Every structure is written in C-alpha cells, then in structure tokens.
Amino acid sequence: MISSTPTHFPADFVWGTATAAYQIEGAAAEDGRAPSIWDTKCLRPGIKNNDSGERACDHYHRYKEDVAIMHSLHLNAYRFSLSWSRIIPDGEGALNPKGVDFYNRLIDELLASNITPWVTCYHWDLPQALEDKYGGWKSKEVAKRLGDFAHRVAELYSDRVKNWITTNEIHVFTMGQPLQIVHNALLGHGHALAGLRAGAKQPLNAGFAEALWSEHPVYDTPEHIAAASRAFKYSNARITFPIFEGKYSDEYFEQYHENLPEYTDDEMKLIGAPVDFAGYNIYSGSVVRAANNARGYEIIDFPAGYPKNQLGWNIAPRSIYSLIKHSHDHFGDVPVYITENGMPANDKEQRNGEVLDIDRIEFLREHLAHVQRAYADGLPIKGYFHWSFMDNFEWMEGYSARFGLVRTNYRTMARTVKLSGKYYAEVIKAGRVL
Ligand code: BGC
C-alpha cells in the first residue's frame, strides 16, 4: 500500500505519458482525414531527412497494442491530442464520422484498461483549410473556430473524458511571430476553454499545457530565490501571466513597446477565465542570481561542457521544482500537472533488441526527485506525464530524435519497452523515486 509520507507520492498521483496526433497517428489520408498545416510543411524541404508524419508510428492502426503496453507499464493516465482535420476535415462545418469514431475507440480502449484519458484539443496541426481561408493564427476567426471545435469534441467525448487541455505550447507555435499572433493564440485558448465548458456532459477538469521559462536560483538563499521569482514574471509575461491575470502585466509593457496587439476587454476576460489546472511542459531551464540592475536579477550562462541532451538542450532538473514553486507563488493554489518532460537520446538497440537508456533513467530519476520534493513541500503538484510514450515524429527533427519510453522500429513498426520504460513502471508501482 502506498502511503503519503514525504518520500512517497500520494496514492492518487497522476502518472502518465504524452503524445500528439500528428506525431504518432499516421494514416494521414485515411478515412476522410484532410491535411493539416503540418502535412503541407512536410511536403517542403526543411525537415530532417525529408521525414513526414504520413505514417508516423501507425498508431491509428496499432492503438490497441499501444494501450496494452501503457497498461503493462502501470500508467494511470495518457495525454494525447485530437487531429482536428480528422474530426472536421475543413476545420469548420461537417464532422467526419470515421474520424470521430477513431477517438471513440481509443477512449474506450483506455477506459477498459483503467487509463484516464487527458485530451488536448490543439497540438499544432491546424487544418490546412483554415490556414487557406483565414491565414491561420493571423486571424481571430481561427481562435473562434477552435472554440467551436472544442465545443463539438466536448459534446462527442466528455461523457467519458473529464480532463481537457485547450492548447499546447502557444509559446512554441507562435515563436518569433508578432505579438498579435500570440494574442490570437491566447484567444484560441480562451474560446476553447469556453467551448469545452459549453459542450461538457459532466463537470470538466480543463486547463492548458504551456512551455514556460523556468529560472532556478543559483542556490537557495532568499536573495537568489527572490531573483528567480522576478525573472519568472518577466520571461512568462507574454503567455501564462495573461491567462492567470486576465491582463497584460507591467512586465509585459516594459519589454514590449512596439507592434503591441489589438484587443478588447472582453477578449482579456475570455483569456483570463479560470482554469481548473495549469499544465506545464518542461525540458530545460536557466539559472539566475540576484543582481544590482533594474530588474534585480541576471541569467548565468551555462558553461561549455555542461551536460546536454542529444539536441543540445541543457539538462536542468532543479527547474522542474522551481516551476512548480513559481506557479504556486504567482498563481496560487491552482493544481499543477507536468504535462510534458523528457529527453531525446542516442538510443542504441542491443543485439537482443533491448535499449539500455541509462541516460534517460538518470534524467527521469532526477526530475522525479524534484517533483517529489515539491510535493513534500506542500506544493499543489498532482501529476506527471513523460514525453513521450514512444519514439515519434519530432517535428523539424523528423524521426532522428527519439524521446520515447518505448522504442519504435520505423521499419517493422515493432514497439520495444526501453529500460527507462521499465524503470518508470517500477516507480509508479512503488509510488516513490527509485
Ligand atoms: C511539444 C512536443 C515535442 C516536444 C519535444 C514540446 O515542445 O509539445 O510536441 O515533441 O516538446 O520537442
């Protein structure tokens, strides 16, 4: 029996893995699915090895096998996203019954295996038809269409699905874009949240999944802790603070003076509507110390030779603790779920097919230890989803970056649980970091 002593996680802790539709499903042109902007992007050069999500992990046909593996790993939750253009090929208007049915089958399979579905409405694969008609996120119309989509899918699935995520990482899919596009995407979150609640068949647990900057103090003294907290408020002024505060903050206007977005009070109300939880995706972080400058902090660069993952991202497990702490200090008691955390690695298959990814185990162990520390400190951390369940289509990196707890053999489509997957399963079983 798992007890809630400080070295353990609570018995009701949510243990999951995460994926996204375009990254795993494949069956891109099957059963009435229409292209998304990612299908289009993959036709052009730019993606490593000219890979595309056309077949991906063939999860569309192999979902039963995948759910069975999840069950064998003791996962009690699974976060996945809906392919909008599979369910509504034009992005607006008529439903595609076969697309609707796929997710019915997936949800039922999960529930039959005691795995709670966590559904993301928008994980970057905008229907191409909406890009063509409205110019994508340049238009506030697309934000409204996302609201309509969320309303429809809540009507379709919320009899069985309680946990919903509006948008995945506005920070990433609007990167380098004008502030107006960021604002429109925030509006997309707002409309999606309202749409979900309007279509809900039961009280929902609804929130967002966002990639935040997470600064941790160089060491835990009051002055550096305060410096990291100030840094957090600056670096997340564009996306997460507006969601919690329903306005753009002083720190926002201090950083941005030109090309500010156009918006109304009603839009800010929609963006700032209460969420039931905050979902945070975290892969790295930065280190901060107090400084005698206007902002009162400075970021310390990672020295050459600091441990990095396969894609060169600094490994910074303490920032997962800081993220949970910052969230509590700035946004109060809102429940926090780590909706993504993981690393790409140079996995090698042994002759017998095993993958002995002790680098990923170490990463997982360190991060979970900091999540556990947050829980022991009384912070409102409720669950952890590892990115990813299986190796999959890693956007611009194609299939070259493997993030899975389960290896995907892209030739045979065989799945093999890596040593890290076995480790995670044991942690879940024990309810503590091993
Ligand atoms: C995204 C995932 C992606 C992962 C690793 C996040 O930015 O939500 O879709 O695969 O990070 O890069």
Side-chain angles (χ1 to χ4, degrees):
M1 181 67 197
I2 296 167
S3 71
S4 309
T5 59
T7 58
H8 285 75
F9 289 90
D12 60 355
F13 198 72
V14 172
W15 293 106
T17 58
T19 64
Y22 191 70
Q23 296 181 270
I24 64 162
E25 285 180 5
E30 238 176 278
D31 291 342
R33 179 184 178 277
S36 74
I37 53 173
W38 270 91
D39 297 82
T40 311
K41 209 193 249 296
C42 290
L43 296 174
R44 296 192 221 111
I47 293 171
K48 202 172 242 173
N49 302 319
N50 292 320
D51 286 339
S52 92
E54 202 178 338
R55 188 160 181 234
C57 306
D58 197 30
H59 172 75
Y60 188 75
H61 298 114
R62 292 165 200 260
Y63 70 94
K64 281 194 179 179
E65 179 187 349
D66 292 335
V67 173
I69 298 171
M70 289 174 206
H71 184 66
S72 77
L73 297 181
H74 309 295
L75 299 171
N76 61 30
Y78 173 50
R79 175 183 172 221
F80 61 95
S81 80
L82 303 172
S83 161
W84 187 345
S85 63
R86 196 184 287 292
I87 295 175
I88 304 182
D90 291 335
E92 54 190 356
L95 290 170
N96 169 29
K98 286 190 172 162
V100 170
D101 187 51
F102 168 66
Y103 295 106
N104 273 325
R105 286 182 282 126
L106 174 60
I107 290 164
D108 291 344
E109 190 71 20
L110 287 165
L111 293 174
S113 308
N114 287 324
I115 300 171
T116 304
W118 286 64
V119 177
T120 310
C121 296
Y122 184 75
H123 200 124
W124 307 355
D125 46 354
L126 188 74
Q128 183 62 41
L130 295 184
E131 179 73 27
D132 296 344
K133 185 164 171 190
Y134 300 111
W137 290 103
K138 284 194 203 87
S139 163
K140 290 183 180 175
E141 280 305 310
V142 164
K144 289 187 195 148
R145 296 294 92 84
L146 180 58
D148 297 341
F149 176 62
H151 191 155
R152 304 283 282 279
V153 295
E155 283 175 346
L156 289 165
Y157 305 122
S158 72
D159 56 332
R160 287 153 293 156
V161 177
K162 186 177 174 65
N163 305 288
W164 292 85
I165 291 169
T166 53
T167 43
N168 182 69
E169 295 191 352
I170 292 175
H171 170 73
V172 175
F173 78 80
T174 63
M175 189 137 12
Q177 302 287 323
L179 292 169
Q180 186 67 59
I181 292 199
V182 179
H183 176 81
N184 295 353
L186 281 171
L187 205 52
H189 154 75
H191 279 296
L193 191 65
L196 285 170
R197 299 220 196 275
K201 303 222 165 128
Q202 61 169 315
L204 301 185
N205 184 39
F208 59 84
E210 195 50 53
L212 276 76
W213 294 107
S214 179
E215 296 84 357
H216 63 266
V218 63
Y219 41 80
D220 288 350
T221 56
E223 52 162 349
H224 297 315
I225 292 173
S229 180
R230 280 194 292 277
F232 181 81
K233 198 158 186 209
Y234 270 93
S235 59
N236 299 298
R238 273 186 329 154
I239 295 157
T240 311
F241 277 85
I243 291 179
F244 280 108
E245 296 182 342
K247 64 178 173 70
Y248 290 115
S249 61
D250 294 347
E251 285 77 4
Y252 180 91
F253 293 110
E254 225 180 289
Q255 292 174 81
Y256 309 109
H257 313 280
E258 286 167 21
N259 301 319
L260 292 171
E262 282 176 19
Y263 57 90
T264 63
D265 288 350
D266 282 350
E267 289 175 7
M268 292 318 292
K269 252 192 223 140
L270 203 59
I271 291 169
V275 287
D276 302 310
F277 67 86
Y280 299 134
N281 298 354
I282 177 161
Y283 290 87
S284 188
S286 43
V287 184
V288 155
R289 69 169 172 176
N292 250 337
N293 57 24
R295 291 186 181 177
Y297 71 90
E298 69 183 10
I299 307 265
I300 305 176
D301 289 339
F302 286 98
Y306 182 89
K308 294 184 180 14
N309 70 26
Q310 185 202 8
L311 291 175
W313 307 347
N314 296 302
I315 297 176
R318 278 168 54 90
S319 32
I320 205 167
Y321 173 87
S322 293
L323 179 56
I324 301 164
K325 175 91 169 68
H326 289 317
S327 178
H328 181 253
D329 292 350
H330 291 276
F331 310 135
D333 279 336
V334 62
V336 170
Y337 294 86
I338 298 299
T339 35
E340 287 183 29
N341 171 240
M343 67 172 267
N346 292 302
D347 296 334
K348 291 279 170 296
E349 244 179 66
Q350 305 291 305
R351 272 219 197 113
N352 65 0
E354 274 192 296
V355 178
L356 305 176
D357 53 341
I358 52 177
D359 43 3
R360 188 174 285 105
I361 290 180
E362 199 54 30
F363 178 97
L364 198 43
R365 180 187 287 124
E366 284 299 307
H367 281 78
L368 289 177
H370 283 283
V371 173
Q372 202 283 325
R373 181 183 151 212
Y375 169 71
D377 281 1
L379 297 170
I381 174 72
K382 306 290 178 196
Y384 173 92
F385 293 80
H386 192 79
W387 184 275
S388 179
F389 170 61
M390 61 184 147
D391 297 338
N392 58 44
F393 176 74
E394 176 51 28
W395 310 114
M396 300 310 285
E397 302 296 326
Y399 296 101
S400 68
R402 292 175 176 270
F403 278 81
L405 296 173
V406 174
R407 182 173 176 88
T408 309
N409 178 320
Y410 294 111
R411 204 170 34 80
T412 62
M413 288 296 158
R415 278 83 159 124
T416 311
V417 177
K418 299 178 192 175
L419 200 53
S420 59
K422 295 181 183 166
Y423 168 72
Y424 191 42
E426 291 297 337
V427 168
I428 297 172
K429 212 159 69 174
R432 65 188 175 88
V433 182
L434 298 172

